[in-house]
Amino acid sequence: PWWTAITDWPTIRSTDGMSTERLIKKYANRRLYDASISKHVTLEDIRDLIVQGEKIRVVEDKTGEDITR
């Protein structure tokens, strides 16, 4: 299943090869959506990405407000 292969998830990279932040959208129903892989994710998935060194930015879907903590 896709959720067990977090290390295989693609990383969005800028043209200079440096890693950029992943955009996670939070919907009103509290679901989280990783726009870089076009899939819903859990808080545990996001935690694992952060532990791996990924930069994460979480935004409210309707307002676009950055709610990253």
Side-chain angles (χ1 to χ4, degrees):
W2 67 268
W3 59 86
T4 60
I6 290 180
T7 57
D8 295 335
W9 284 8
T11 301
I12 299 171
R13 300 210 180 264
S14 62
T15 54
D16 64 1
M18 298 297 293
S19 178
T20 60
E21 55 189 23
R22 279 187 188 244
L23 176 63
I24 307 293
K25 294 182 180 181
K26 179 183 172 280
Y27 290 95
N29 62 1
R30 297 184 183 169
R31 292 195 76 181
L32 300 165
Y33 183 81
D34 186 338
S36 67
I37 61 169
S38 302
K39 293 189 187 256
H40 285 96
V41 293
T42 65
L43 285 174
E44 185 176 343
D45 295 333
I46 294 172
R47 177 198 151 301
D48 291 342
L49 290 169
I50 292 169
V51 168
Q52 292 174 17
E54 295 280 345
K55 294 180 182 177
I56 306 290
R57 183 168 57 106
V58 182
V59 297
E60 287 281 348
D61 181 55
K62 286 190 178 184
T63 64
E65 177 185 355
D66 187 347
I67 58 170
T68 307
R69 292 185 191 177

